[in-house]
Amino acid sequence: GAVVSQHPSWVICKSGTSVKIECRSLDFQATTMFWYRQFPKQSLMLMATSNEGSKATYEQGVEKDKFLINHASLTLSTLTVTSAHPEDSSFYICSAPPAGPQETQYFGPGTRLLVL
Amino acid sequence: RKEVEQDPGPFNVPEGATVAFNCTYSNSASQSFFWYRQDCRKEPKLLMSVYSSGNEDGRFTAQLNRASQYISLLIRDSKLSDSATYLCVVNIRGGTYKYIFGTGTRLKVLA
């Protein structure tokens, strides 16, 4: 099946640091990728839709200046958490739909961010 | 009201039991439907898509009722390995497509 990778899998950083998370589709091209955040004992919440070659579309309540998304190629999207604070500590997961955004999505293994 | 709502759970059932999960969605622009399972501290993995006519995959049966905006998942002959959180997922078409997740129902199958 389709494979999506994320890097890094774990990040521990000090408050005020910026953290970059990469999401790659390994065996298919994705014009659209999605970024989610999951807090403990809660479900996944869509943060933004990453569009190759254009600006990301952010969900209501998600600060675009804090969560910078770059979809520079058909296989790579990056999420940068700028000036991270403890409340940004969460499980960040990306996904990509091999057959187009209306079809099944495959998820990366996620990145656990802990901001001290 | 949340866009996708699921049974609160948790469900604790003995091995071999049959268990059913329900899910309702509120957005009439919902196009496609899925069940994912998520193990603790892992990413969601696709369990099955849900088709209008209903579909079965081994011990798992999914049903969709578009008129009632209701989705179900039935697990027969539960195994210990079925213990996980089951996520109802709706793909909504607005300007673009996007997945909306239900809160998930936790299942624990007991020996």
Side-chain angles (χ1 to χ4, degrees), chain A residues 5-80:
Chain A
S5 71
Q6 269 184 254
H7 177 81
S9 53
W10 271 98
V11 180
I12 301 174
C13 66
K14 292 182 179 179
S15 187
T17 306
S18 290
V19 176
K20 186 176 182 179
I21 303 170
E22 293 186 349
C23 177
R24 292 181 187 272
S25 56
L26 298 185
D27 52 359
F28 64 96
Q29 294 181 330
T31 55
T32 304
M33 291 184 177
F34 300 90
W35 286 97
Y36 297 83
R37 181 167 53 181
Q38 185 176 33
F39 292 108
K41 300 194 177 185
Q42 295 186 27
S43 192
L44 279 75
M45 296 297 295
L46 179 65
M47 298 176 67
T49 302
S50 174
N51 304 300
E52 189 269 335
S54 63
K55 291 182 180 179
T57 305
Y58 289 82
E59 295 300 301
Q60 193 172 12
V62 178
E63 298 176 59
K64 59 181 68 176
D65 294 331
K66 180 165 183 68
F67 298 100
L68 301 179
I69 291 172
N70 188 318
H71 197 143
S73 76
L74 288 171
T75 59
L76 173 64
S77 175
T78 60
L79 168 68
T80 302

